[in-house]
Amino acid sequence: MHVLVTGGAGFIGSHTAVALLERGHRVTIADDFQNSSPKVIDRIEQITGTRPGLAAVDLLDEEAFDAAFASASPDAVIHFAGLKAVGESVADPLRYYAHNLGSTFSLLKTMKRHGVRSLVFSSSATVYGDQQDPPYREDGGRLDATNPYGMTKVMLERILSDVAESEGGWHIGLLRYFNPIGAHPSGLIGEDPNGIPNNLAPYILQVAVGRLPEVNIFGDDYATADGTGERDYIHVADLAEGHVAALEKLSAVEGARAWNLGTGAGTSVRQMIAAFEAASGHPIPAIVRPRREGDLPRSWADTTRAASELGWTASRSIADMARDGWRWQSQNPNGFAD
Ligand code: UDP
């Protein structure tokens, strides 16, 4: 299959491009490099021996995107492109709604014009809000979110489902990611956040490599085993393989279908710090701070649906995630910057 990967130079997009190429699919990446580096394209080629096609285009530029789409002529799309910083979305909701919704509208209109109706969408476990206790089930109730970033995912899931209902022929997978971390085992691609990381794993890695002094533990008085927050961390390579599995099963889906991509197990902040200390061989100082507003105590996936319908389960351990994350960070202490 020839797959157009929007946001394919980003963290999850680049690992998915690698997984697709390794499965023998053709890949064209559409990315405006607003939050990613063109170096990723070279690294994907280094890993796989195949250079993906590239459309350096902003999805919001409908004319340019349409031309790029026509020239690539893909069979299916995996849509990663979008803004994803929770704090930024609270500070500037209009930008987040306009960008994430607008770029998806442009994509859907373009796909319709060209008769392409197979789409895998990057959603997030954030759509579960605080409506359920873990493990979160895809059909466990109303979707909700506690911030504008998360609401763009809730809204886009709804919009995609409405589009799929409105006419036959659409095959849409809504992939709800838990907490993707780690990196390709080559150390050539990985997560490269702008500024000070918001997420735990990249923050720990920057402490391990000496860019930041200590990890802030946001609360140790939760009703969890050691009092710190528990999350379902998933190796980005497992997540990438989940996309390939969803894409290959998409033709069996009439309309839109949601699948959780997680491991089904929770790991605490303190356990994560210990795993990265073991992987890096560096002490990782940490200090307990107040709870971060909006954080849930615990989150993990019910993985039954993805296992039975996609034939996919995550196989890599927390130790694998810490080892591969550390390899990426130690080989590229400044990410993709020179
Ligand atoms: N966390 C933390 N310090 C940090 C960043 C995160 O203690 O600097 C905690 C956070 O409270 C949560 C877990 O680590 O329990 C994962 O947070 P992250 O932001 O990575 O993911 P999310 O909250 O979006 O699931």
Side-chain angles (χ1 to χ4, degrees):
M1 226 184 288
H2 181 187
V3 188
L4 183 78
V5 182
T6 77
F11 175 44
I12 305 172
S14 59
H15 288 81
T16 300
V18 166
L20 288 165
L21 290 166
E22 283 174 345
R23 279 280 290 183
H25 294 291
R26 276 182 68 199
V27 172
T28 297
I29 287 175
D31 205 298
D32 64 0
F33 300 111
Q34 201 185 119
N35 283 318
S36 59
S37 166
K39 280 185 199 157
V40 170
I41 309 298
D42 301 330
R43 301 279 178 96
I44 292 171
E45 181 178 12
Q46 236 177 302
I47 293 168
T48 63
T50 305
R51 190 165 185 85
L54 173 64
V57 68
D58 179 351
L59 268 69
L60 285 166
D61 182 346
E62 265 189 68
E63 220 169 285
F65 181 63
D66 188 271
F69 196 98
S71 131
S73 188
D75 307 302
V77 176
I78 305 184
H79 180 39
F80 293 101
L83 301 174
K84 60 165 194 176
V86 172
E88 238 177 50
S89 79
V90 174
D92 197 351
L94 281 180
R95 175 166 167 245
Y96 266 67
Y97 287 117
H99 187 101
N100 287 1
L101 271 58
S103 55
T104 308
F105 295 155
S106 167
L107 172 66
L108 290 169
K109 285 192 272 178
T110 305
M111 289 178 70
K112 273 174 74 102
R113 268 198 301 274
H114 295 274
V116 176
R117 286 186 169 74
S118 296
L119 173 66
V120 173
F121 174 64
S122 283
S123 188
S124 164
T126 192
V127 301
Y128 293 116
D130 55 4
Q131 304 292 303
Q132 289 187 57
D133 288 325
Y136 297 136
R137 288 169 50 98
E138 290 89 342
D139 55 1
R142 193 170 64 83
L143 301 184
D144 197 6
T146 54
N147 57 73
Y149 157 75
M151 276 311 296
T152 68
K153 298 295 182 189
V154 173
M155 290 175 173
L156 285 167
E157 281 208 14
R158 177 60 191 264
I159 289 163
L160 290 167
S161 301
D162 288 347
V163 168
E165 279 281 305
S166 70
E167 55 177 352
W170 283 94
H171 310 281
I172 300 181
L174 309 169
L175 301 186
R176 297 180 181 159
Y177 312 152
F178 281 70
N179 290 64
I181 66 166
H184 191 269
S186 63
L188 288 168
I189 53 174
E191 190 170 11
D192 184 16
N194 288 332
I196 297 188
N198 296 306
N199 297 114
L200 181 66
Y203 201 105
I204 292 177
L205 283 167
Q206 293 201 8
V207 174
V209 85
R211 274 171 74 176
L212 291 168
E214 65 203 1
V215 177
N216 301 302
I217 298 177
F218 294 145
D220 69 347
D221 57 353
Y222 286 109
T224 58
D226 66 15
T228 65
E230 293 173 350
R231 293 290 183 276
D232 186 343
Y233 298 96
I234 174 170
H235 196 297
V236 65
D238 276 325
L239 195 75
E241 289 166 9
H243 286 73
V244 179
L247 182 80
E248 292 176 354
K249 287 281 156 55
L250 216 51
S251 58
V253 172
E254 285 307 324
R257 183 87 174 145
W259 292 290
N260 284 340
L261 297 185
T263 69
T267 303
S268 75
V269 175
R270 286 203 190 279
Q271 287 171 326
M272 291 297 283
I273 294 172
F276 280 92
E277 275 186 329
S280 66
H282 289 242
I284 298 176
I287 179 162
V288 176
R289 304 278 186 197
R291 293 180 179 191
R292 184 172 66 179
E293 205 184 327
D295 271 355
L296 297 170
R298 301 139 80 230
S299 158
W300 59 87
D302 182 315
T303 59
T304 320
R305 187 188 279 186
S308 67
E309 296 181 8
L310 303 180
W312 169 91
T313 48
S315 63
R316 295 163 178 89
S317 67
I318 293 285
D320 295 333
M321 302 177 211
R323 182 201 58 222
D324 294 336
W326 171 246
R327 188 180 295 113
W328 152 253
Q329 187 73 61
S330 54
Q331 288 179 17
N332 307 270
N334 297 313
F336 291 107
D338 291 319

mmCIF file of all heavy atoms in Angstrom, residues 78-123:
data_model
loop_
_atom_site.group_PDB
_atom_site.id
_atom_site.type_symbol
_atom_site.label_atom_id
_atom_site.label_comp_id
_atom_site.label_asym_id
_atom_site.label_seq_id
_atom_site.Cartn_x
_atom_site.Cartn_y
_atom_site.Cartn_z
ATOM 1 N N ILE A 78 -2.316 8.102 7.090
ATOM 2 C CA ILE A 78 -2.204 8.075 8.549
ATOM 3 C C ILE A 78 -1.945 9.516 8.975
ATOM 4 O O ILE A 78 -0.976 10.140 8.524
ATOM 5 C CB ILE A 78 -1.082 7.135 9.045
ATOM 6 C CG1 ILE A 78 -1.275 5.715 8.487
ATOM 7 C CG2 ILE A 78 -1.076 7.092 10.581
ATOM 8 C CD1 ILE A 78 -0.272 4.688 9.002
ATOM 9 N N HIS A 79 -2.847 10.027 9.815
ATOM 10 C CA HIS A 79 -2.850 11.475 10.107
ATOM 11 C C HIS A 79 -2.323 11.759 11.517
ATOM 12 O O HIS A 79 -3.048 11.635 12.503
ATOM 13 C CB HIS A 79 -4.282 11.973 9.953
ATOM 14 C CG HIS A 79 -4.465 13.435 10.222
ATOM 15 N ND1 HIS A 79 -3.564 14.410 9.829
ATOM 16 C CD2 HIS A 79 -5.485 14.107 10.841
ATOM 17 C CE1 HIS A 79 -4.009 15.597 10.207
ATOM 18 N NE2 HIS A 79 -5.166 15.446 10.831
ATOM 19 N N PHE A 80 -1.033 12.153 11.587
ATOM 20 C CA PHE A 80 -0.415 12.519 12.866
ATOM 21 C C PHE A 80 -0.338 14.026 13.054
ATOM 22 O O PHE A 80 -0.159 14.497 14.178
ATOM 23 C CB PHE A 80 1.037 12.014 12.931
ATOM 24 C CG PHE A 80 1.192 10.523 12.959
ATOM 25 C CD1 PHE A 80 1.529 9.825 11.807
ATOM 26 C CD2 PHE A 80 1.015 9.821 14.137
ATOM 27 C CE1 PHE A 80 1.686 8.447 11.838
ATOM 28 C CE2 PHE A 80 1.170 8.442 14.168
ATOM 29 C CZ PHE A 80 1.510 7.752 13.018
ATOM 30 N N ALA A 81 -0.343 14.778 11.943
ATOM 31 C CA ALA A 81 -0.025 16.208 12.025
ATOM 32 C C ALA A 81 -0.961 16.912 12.998
ATOM 33 O O ALA A 81 -2.167 16.691 12.977
ATOM 34 C CB ALA A 81 -0.149 16.836 10.634
ATOM 35 N N GLY A 82 -0.398 17.746 13.845
ATOM 36 C CA GLY A 82 -1.229 18.513 14.775
ATOM 37 C C GLY A 82 -0.391 19.056 15.909
ATOM 38 O O GLY A 82 0.752 18.626 16.111
ATOM 39 N N LEU A 83 -0.995 20.004 16.634
ATOM 40 C CA LEU A 83 -0.315 20.569 17.802
ATOM 41 C C LEU A 83 -0.674 19.713 19.009
ATOM 42 O O LEU A 83 -1.798 19.231 19.122
ATOM 43 C CB LEU A 83 -0.773 22.014 18.016
ATOM 44 C CG LEU A 83 -0.510 22.965 16.843
ATOM 45 C CD1 LEU A 83 -1.134 24.337 17.114
ATOM 46 C CD2 LEU A 83 0.999 23.114 16.601
ATOM 47 N N LYS A 84 0.296 19.542 19.955
ATOM 48 C CA LYS A 84 0.039 18.538 20.999
ATOM 49 C C LYS A 84 0.470 18.925 22.408
ATOM 50 O O LYS A 84 0.484 18.073 23.293
ATOM 51 C CB LYS A 84 0.736 17.235 20.599
ATOM 52 C CG LYS A 84 2.243 17.411 20.457
ATOM 53 C CD LYS A 84 2.974 16.097 20.426
ATOM 54 C CE LYS A 84 4.449 16.297 20.619
ATOM 55 N NZ LYS A 84 5.230 15.094 20.696
ATOM 56 N N ALA A 85 0.810 20.205 22.629
ATOM 57 C CA ALA A 85 1.257 20.578 23.980
ATOM 58 C C ALA A 85 0.061 21.039 24.817
ATOM 59 O O ALA A 85 -0.582 22.055 24.512
ATOM 60 C CB ALA A 85 2.313 21.676 23.902
ATOM 61 N N VAL A 86 -0.235 20.279 25.868
ATOM 62 C CA VAL A 86 -1.423 20.530 26.683
ATOM 63 C C VAL A 86 -1.409 21.960 27.250
ATOM 64 O O VAL A 86 -2.390 22.698 27.126
ATOM 65 C CB VAL A 86 -1.502 19.496 27.836
ATOM 66 C CG1 VAL A 86 -2.612 19.855 28.812
ATOM 67 C CG2 VAL A 86 -1.715 18.099 27.258
ATOM 68 N N GLY A 87 -0.294 22.368 27.855
ATOM 69 C CA GLY A 87 -0.199 23.687 28.497
ATOM 70 C C GLY A 87 -0.407 24.805 27.486
ATOM 71 O O GLY A 87 -1.134 25.777 27.737
ATOM 72 N N GLU A 88 0.222 24.669 26.316
ATOM 73 C CA GLU A 88 0.080 25.660 25.244
ATOM 74 C C GLU A 88 -1.382 25.782 24.820
ATOM 75 O O GLU A 88 -1.867 26.869 24.518
ATOM 76 C CB GLU A 88 0.865 25.149 24.031
ATOM 77 C CG GLU A 88 1.952 26.047 23.520
ATOM 78 C CD GLU A 88 2.687 25.364 22.371
ATOM 79 O OE1 GLU A 88 2.050 24.868 21.415
ATOM 80 O OE2 GLU A 88 3.924 25.309 22.462
ATOM 81 N N SER A 89 -2.074 24.640 24.801
ATOM 82 C CA SER A 89 -3.472 24.643 24.343
ATOM 83 C C SER A 89 -4.371 25.374 25.338
ATOM 84 O O SER A 89 -5.371 25.968 24.955
ATOM 85 C CB SER A 89 -3.985 23.221 24.107
ATOM 86 O OG SER A 89 -4.350 22.564 25.306
ATOM 87 N N VAL A 90 -3.998 25.323 26.626
ATOM 88 C CA VAL A 90 -4.772 26.043 27.641
ATOM 89 C C VAL A 90 -4.525 27.545 27.479
ATOM 90 O O VAL A 90 -5.433 28.371 27.582
ATOM 91 C CB VAL A 90 -4.376 25.575 29.066
ATOM 92 C CG1 VAL A 90 -5.057 26.426 30.133
ATOM 93 C CG2 VAL A 90 -4.704 24.096 29.254
ATOM 94 N N ALA A 91 -3.281 27.910 27.163
ATOM 95 C CA ALA A 91 -2.927 29.326 27.020
ATOM 96 C C ALA A 91 -3.468 29.914 25.718
ATOM 97 O O ALA A 91 -3.771 31.100 25.648
ATOM 98 C CB ALA A 91 -1.399 29.486 27.071
ATOM 99 N N ASP A 92 -3.578 29.103 24.674
ATOM 100 C CA ASP A 92 -3.978 29.617 23.358
ATOM 101 C C ASP A 92 -4.960 28.657 22.690
ATOM 102 O O ASP A 92 -4.648 28.036 21.659
ATOM 103 C CB ASP A 92 -2.723 29.811 22.488
ATOM 104 C CG ASP A 92 -2.985 30.692 21.293
ATOM 105 O OD1 ASP A 92 -4.165 31.013 21.027
ATOM 106 O OD2 ASP A 92 -2.009 31.049 20.602
ATOM 107 N N PRO A 93 -6.171 28.533 23.267
ATOM 108 C CA PRO A 93 -7.123 27.535 22.740
ATOM 109 C C PRO A 93 -7.500 27.782 21.280
ATOM 110 O O PRO A 93 -7.644 26.829 20.515
ATOM 111 C CB PRO A 93 -8.341 27.663 23.666
ATOM 112 C CG PRO A 93 -8.164 28.924 24.432
ATOM 113 C CD PRO A 93 -6.710 29.236 24.447
ATOM 114 N N LEU A 94 -7.648 29.053 20.883
ATOM 115 C CA LEU A 94 -8.071 29.326 19.505
ATOM 116 C C LEU A 94 -7.089 28.759 18.502
ATOM 117 O O LEU A 94 -7.464 28.191 17.485
ATOM 118 C CB LEU A 94 -8.192 30.841 19.286
ATOM 119 C CG LEU A 94 -9.458 31.486 19.827
ATOM 120 C CD1 LEU A 94 -9.437 32.982 19.545
ATOM 121 C CD2 LEU A 94 -10.692 30.826 19.194
ATOM 122 N N ARG A 95 -5.806 28.926 18.814
ATOM 123 C CA ARG A 95 -4.791 28.401 17.903
ATOM 124 C C ARG A 95 -4.915 26.880 17.785
ATOM 125 O O ARG A 95 -4.828 26.313 16.705
ATOM 126 C CB ARG A 95 -3.407 28.789 18.440
ATOM 127 C CG ARG A 95 -2.270 28.213 17.652
ATOM 128 C CD ARG A 95 -0.926 28.870 17.982
ATOM 129 N NE ARG A 95 0.157 28.083 17.420
ATOM 130 C CZ ARG A 95 1.079 27.444 18.110
ATOM 131 N NH1 ARG A 95 1.095 27.525 19.441
ATOM 132 N NH2 ARG A 95 2.006 26.736 17.515
ATOM 133 N N TYR A 96 -5.159 26.225 18.927
ATOM 134 C CA TYR A 96 -5.247 24.758 18.911
ATOM 135 C C TYR A 96 -6.475 24.282 18.150
ATOM 136 O O TYR A 96 -6.390 23.381 17.326
ATOM 137 C CB TYR A 96 -5.204 24.198 20.348
ATOM 138 C CG TYR A 96 -3.771 23.852 20.696
ATOM 139 C CD1 TYR A 96 -2.837 24.868 20.822
ATOM 140 C CD2 TYR A 96 -3.341 22.532 20.783
ATOM 141 C CE1 TYR A 96 -1.521 24.578 21.065
ATOM 142 C CE2 TYR A 96 -2.020 22.237 21.028
ATOM 143 C CZ TYR A 96 -1.109 23.248 21.169
ATOM 144 O OH TYR A 96 0.206 22.961 21.378
ATOM 145 N N TYR A 97 -7.641 24.903 18.435
ATOM 146 C CA TYR A 97 -8.848 24.465 17.717
ATOM 147 C C TYR A 97 -8.700 24.755 16.224
ATOM 148 O O TYR A 97 -9.023 23.916 15.381
ATOM 149 C CB TYR A 97 -10.093 25.144 18.307
ATOM 150 C CG TYR A 97 -10.471 24.582 19.670
ATOM 151 C CD1 TYR A 97 -10.459 25.368 20.812
ATOM 152 C CD2 TYR A 97 -10.834 23.239 19.796
ATOM 153 C CE1 TYR A 97 -10.810 24.848 22.055
ATOM 154 C CE2 TYR A 97 -11.173 22.711 21.044
ATOM 155 C CZ TYR A 97 -11.153 23.516 22.164
ATOM 156 O OH TYR A 97 -11.484 22.986 23.380
ATOM 157 N N ALA A 98 -8.226 25.956 15.893
ATOM 158 C CA ALA A 98 -8.119 26.321 14.473
ATOM 159 C C ALA A 98 -7.146 25.389 13.751
ATOM 160 O O ALA A 98 -7.432 24.897 12.659
ATOM 161 C CB ALA A 98 -7.662 27.778 14.344
ATOM 162 N N HIS A 99 -6.024 25.113 14.378
ATOM 163 C CA HIS A 99 -5.004 24.320 13.692
ATOM 164 C C HIS A 99 -5.416 22.855 13.570
ATOM 165 O O HIS A 99 -5.419 22.282 12.483
ATOM 166 C CB HIS A 99 -3.664 24.442 14.427
ATOM 167 C CG HIS A 99 -2.542 23.800 13.684
ATOM 168 N ND1 HIS A 99 -1.628 24.513 12.942
ATOM 169 C CD2 HIS A 99 -2.214 22.504 13.535
ATOM 170 C CE1 HIS A 99 -0.789 23.680 12.374
ATOM 171 N NE2 HIS A 99 -1.115 22.444 12.722
ATOM 172 N N ASN A 100 -5.752 22.243 14.706
ATOM 173 C CA ASN A 100 -6.001 20.793 14.664
ATOM 174 C C ASN A 100 -7.280 20.453 13.895
ATOM 175 O O ASN A 100 -7.311 19.471 13.145
ATOM 176 C CB ASN A 100 -6.041 20.209 16.079
ATOM 177 C CG ASN A 100 -4.643 20.147 16.706
ATOM 178 O OD1 ASN A 100 -3.662 20.557 16.086
ATOM 179 N ND2 ASN A 100 -4.555 19.641 17.916
ATOM 180 N N LEU A 101 -8.318 21.271 14.064
ATOM 181 C CA LEU A 101 -9.549 21.002 13.320
ATOM 182 C C LEU A 101 -9.384 21.416 11.855
ATOM 183 O O LEU A 101 -9.713 20.655 10.948
ATOM 184 C CB LEU A 101 -10.747 21.726 13.970
ATOM 185 C CG LEU A 101 -11.475 20.926 15.061
ATOM 186 C CD1 LEU A 101 -10.583 20.518 16.209
ATOM 187 C CD2 LEU A 101 -12.676 21.692 15.595
ATOM 188 N N GLY A 102 -8.833 22.616 11.646
ATOM 189 C CA GLY A 102 -8.693 23.121 10.270
ATOM 190 C C GLY A 102 -7.845 22.216 9.398
ATOM 191 O O GLY A 102 -8.194 21.929 8.244
ATOM 192 N N SER A 103 -6.734 21.724 9.928
ATOM 193 C CA SER A 103 -5.873 20.886 9.083
ATOM 194 C C SER A 103 -6.552 19.551 8.785
ATOM 195 O O SER A 103 -6.389 18.989 7.691
ATOM 196 C CB SER A 103 -4.486 20.698 9.718
ATOM 197 O OG SER A 103 -4.606 20.186 11.016
ATOM 198 N N THR A 104 -7.365 19.054 9.723
ATOM 199 C CA THR A 104 -8.071 17.789 9.456
ATOM 200 C C THR A 104 -9.199 18.010 8.444
ATOM 201 O O THR A 104 -9.444 17.153 7.591
ATOM 202 C CB THR A 104 -8.589 17.176 10.772
ATOM 203 O OG1 THR A 104 -7.488 17.097 11.694
ATOM 204 C CG2 THR A 104 -9.144 15.781 10.555
ATOM 205 N N PHE A 105 -9.866 19.173 8.499
ATOM 206 C CA PHE A 105 -10.884 19.465 7.472
ATOM 207 C C PHE A 105 -10.243 19.494 6.092
ATOM 208 O O PHE A 105 -10.779 18.949 5.131
ATOM 209 C CB PHE A 105 -11.559 20.828 7.729
ATOM 210 C CG PHE A 105 -12.370 20.891 8.991
ATOM 211 C CD1 PHE A 105 -12.596 22.096 9.626
ATOM 212 C CD2 PHE A 105 -12.923 19.738 9.547
ATOM 213 C CE1 PHE A 105 -13.355 22.165 10.791
ATOM 214 C CE2 PHE A 105 -13.679 19.798 10.705
ATOM 215 C CZ PHE A 105 -13.888 21.014 11.334
ATOM 216 N N SER A 106 -9.101 20.169 6.015
ATOM 217 C CA SER A 106 -8.406 20.255 4.729
ATOM 218 C C SER A 106 -8.058 18.851 4.226
ATOM 219 O O SER A 106 -8.266 18.522 3.045
ATOM 220 C CB SER A 106 -7.154 21.113 4.913
ATOM 221 O OG SER A 106 -6.302 21.001 3.823
ATOM 222 N N LEU A 107 -7.572 18.011 5.149
ATOM 223 C CA LEU A 107 -7.216 16.632 4.761
ATOM 224 C C LEU A 107 -8.451 15.877 4.263
ATOM 225 O O LEU A 107 -8.419 15.229 3.212
ATOM 226 C CB LEU A 107 -6.599 15.913 5.971
ATOM 227 C CG LEU A 107 -6.359 14.415 5.779
ATOM 228 C CD1 LEU A 107 -5.301 14.162 4.706
ATOM 229 C CD2 LEU A 107 -5.933 13.754 7.097
ATOM 230 N N LEU A 108 -9.560 15.963 5.009
ATOM 231 C CA LEU A 108 -10.760 15.196 4.638
ATOM 232 C C LEU A 108 -11.318 15.662 3.300
ATOM 233 O O LEU A 108 -11.710 14.841 2.464
ATOM 234 C CB LEU A 108 -11.824 15.338 5.741
ATOM 235 C CG LEU A 108 -11.490 14.613 7.048
ATOM 236 C CD1 LEU A 108 -12.452 15.027 8.152
ATOM 237 C CD2 LEU A 108 -11.534 13.099 6.859
ATOM 238 N N LYS A 109 -11.324 16.967 3.070
ATOM 239 C CA LYS A 109 -11.835 17.477 1.791
ATOM 240 C C LYS A 109 -10.951 16.989 0.648
ATOM 241 O O LYS A 109 -11.440 16.580 -0.406
ATOM 242 C CB LYS A 109 -11.889 19.014 1.813
ATOM 243 C CG LYS A 109 -13.057 19.535 2.654
ATOM 244 C CD LYS A 109 -13.278 21.015 2.439
ATOM 245 C CE LYS A 109 -12.437 21.835 3.386
ATOM 246 N NZ LYS A 109 -12.549 23.279 3.219
ATOM 247 N N THR A 110 -9.646 17.016 0.897
ATOM 248 C CA THR A 110 -8.716 16.568 -0.150
ATOM 249 C C THR A 110 -8.901 15.075 -0.419
ATOM 250 O O THR A 110 -8.930 14.646 -1.580
ATOM 251 C CB THR A 110 -7.269 16.876 0.286
ATOM 252 O OG1 THR A 110 -7.189 18.262 0.594
ATOM 253 C CG2 THR A 110 -6.277 16.531 -0.796
ATOM 254 N N MET A 111 -9.031 14.294 0.650
ATOM 255 C CA MET A 111 -9.226 12.848 0.463
ATOM 256 C C MET A 111 -10.497 12.587 -0.342
ATOM 257 O O MET A 111 -10.508 11.752 -1.247
ATOM 258 C CB MET A 111 -9.301 12.139 1.827
ATOM 259 C CG MET A 111 -7.953 12.093 2.539
ATOM 260 S SD MET A 111 -8.064 11.305 4.170
ATOM 261 C CE MET A 111 -8.357 9.588 3.713
ATOM 262 N N LYS A 112 -11.581 13.309 -0.022
ATOM 263 C CA LYS A 112 -12.844 13.117 -0.752
ATOM 264 C C LYS A 112 -12.664 13.454 -2.237
ATOM 265 O O LYS A 112 -13.104 12.702 -3.096
ATOM 266 C CB LYS A 112 -13.938 14.007 -0.148
ATOM 267 C CG LYS A 112 -14.676 13.350 1.009
ATOM 268 C CD LYS A 112 -15.648 14.311 1.672
ATOM 269 C CE LYS A 112 -16.886 14.561 0.843
ATOM 270 N NZ LYS A 112 -18.060 13.811 1.305
ATOM 271 N N ARG A 113 -11.989 14.586 -2.487
ATOM 272 C CA ARG A 113 -11.782 14.995 -3.887
ATOM 273 C C ARG A 113 -11.052 13.925 -4.675
ATOM 274 O O ARG A 113 -11.277 13.749 -5.860
ATOM 275 C CB ARG A 113 -10.968 16.293 -3.932
ATOM 276 C CG ARG A 113 -11.804 17.565 -3.947
ATOM 277 C CD ARG A 113 -10.988 18.761 -4.419
ATOM 278 N NE ARG A 113 -9.830 19.008 -3.586
ATOM 279 C CZ ARG A 113 -9.838 19.740 -2.470
ATOM 280 N NH1 ARG A 113 -10.946 20.299 -2.040
ATOM 281 N NH2 ARG A 113 -8.740 19.910 -1.777
ATOM 282 N N HIS A 114 -10.165 13.217 -3.995
ATOM 283 C CA HIS A 114 -9.333 12.237 -4.716
ATOM 284 C C HIS A 114 -9.834 10.805 -4.520
ATOM 285 O O HIS A 114 -9.154 9.861 -4.916
ATOM 286 C CB HIS A 114 -7.872 12.388 -4.290
ATOM 287 C CG HIS A 114 -7.299 13.713 -4.698
ATOM 288 N ND1 HIS A 114 -6.746 13.932 -5.948
ATOM 289 C CD2 HIS A 114 -7.238 14.904 -4.050
ATOM 290 C CE1 HIS A 114 -6.364 15.202 -6.042
ATOM 291 N NE2 HIS A 114 -6.648 15.814 -4.897
ATOM 292 N N GLY A 115 -10.983 10.648 -3.875
ATOM 293 C CA GLY A 115 -11.578 9.314 -3.744
ATOM 294 C C GLY A 115 -10.797 8.373 -2.831
ATOM 295 O O GLY A 115 -10.859 7.153 -2.999
ATOM 296 N N VAL A 116 -10.070 8.939 -1.877
ATOM 297 C CA VAL A 116 -9.332 8.094 -0.911
ATOM 298 C C VAL A 116 -10.113 8.145 0.401
ATOM 299 O O VAL A 116 -10.365 9.232 0.940
ATOM 300 C CB VAL A 116 -7.885 8.611 -0.715
ATOM 301 C CG1 VAL A 116 -7.150 7.795 0.344
ATOM 302 C CG2 VAL A 116 -7.133 8.573 -2.042
ATOM 303 N N ARG A 117 -10.499 6.954 0.909
ATOM 304 C CA ARG A 117 -11.375 6.947 2.099
ATOM 305 C C ARG A 117 -10.859 6.021 3.196
ATOM 306 O O ARG A 117 -11.633 5.562 4.042
ATOM 307 C CB ARG A 117 -12.797 6.569 1.673
ATOM 308 C CG ARG A 117 -13.504 7.702 0.943
ATOM 309 C CD ARG A 117 -14.956 7.369 0.643
ATOM 310 N NE ARG A 117 -15.699 8.543 0.169
ATOM 311 C CZ ARG A 117 -15.571 9.079 -1.038
ATOM 312 N NH1 ARG A 117 -14.731 8.556 -1.905
ATOM 313 N NH2 ARG A 117 -16.286 10.136 -1.365
ATOM 314 N N SER A 118 -9.574 5.752 3.193
ATOM 315 C CA SER A 118 -8.977 4.924 4.253
ATOM 316 C C SER A 118 -8.069 5.810 5.091
ATOM 317 O O SER A 118 -7.104 6.396 4.570
ATOM 318 C CB SER A 118 -8.159 3.778 3.666
ATOM 319 O OG SER A 118 -9.015 2.917 2.962
ATOM 320 N N LEU A 119 -8.376 5.902 6.385
ATOM 321 C CA LEU A 119 -7.678 6.866 7.238
ATOM 322 C C LEU A 119 -7.445 6.282 8.632
ATOM 323 O O LEU A 119 -8.361 5.737 9.246
ATOM 324 C CB LEU A 119 -8.547 8.137 7.361
ATOM 325 C CG LEU A 119 -8.096 9.213 8.341
ATOM 326 C CD1 LEU A 119 -6.776 9.834 7.893
ATOM 327 C CD2 LEU A 119 -9.164 10.311 8.451
ATOM 328 N N VAL A 120 -6.221 6.433 9.111
ATOM 329 C CA VAL A 120 -5.904 6.085 10.505
ATOM 330 C C VAL A 120 -5.597 7.398 11.212
ATOM 331 O O VAL A 120 -4.752 8.179 10.753
ATOM 332 C CB VAL A 120 -4.697 5.122 10.590
ATOM 333 C CG1 VAL A 120 -4.282 4.909 12.042
ATOM 334 C CG2 VAL A 120 -5.037 3.789 9.934
ATOM 335 N N PHE A 121 -6.303 7.661 12.302
ATOM 336 C CA PHE A 121 -6.186 8.949 12.999
ATOM 337 C C PHE A 121 -5.523 8.772 14.359
ATOM 338 O O PHE A 121 -5.859 7.872 15.123
ATOM 339 C CB PHE A 121 -7.591 9.557 13.166
ATOM 340 C CG PHE A 121 -7.597 10.825 13.992
ATOM 341 C CD1 PHE A 121 -6.944 11.960 13.547
ATOM 342 C CD2 PHE A 121 -8.255 10.876 15.218
ATOM 343 C CE1 PHE A 121 -6.929 13.122 14.311
ATOM 344 C CE2 PHE A 121 -8.256 12.039 15.986
ATOM 345 C CZ PHE A 121 -7.592 13.161 15.527
ATOM 346 N N SER A 122 -4.596 9.691 14.666
ATOM 347 C CA SER A 122 -3.922 9.757 15.970
ATOM 348 C C SER A 122 -4.858 10.320 16.998
ATOM 349 O O SER A 122 -5.012 11.538 17.092
ATOM 350 C CB SER A 122 -2.814 10.807 15.929
ATOM 351 O OG SER A 122 -1.704 10.415 15.291
ATOM 352 N N SER A 123 -5.477 9.472 17.789
ATOM 353 C CA SER A 123 -6.229 10.000 18.912
ATOM 354 C C SER A 123 -5.422 9.756 20.182
ATOM 355 O O SER A 123 -4.202 9.509 20.116
ATOM 356 C CB SER A 123 -7.630 9.388 18.967
ATOM 357 O OG SER A 123 -8.393 10.061 19.943
#
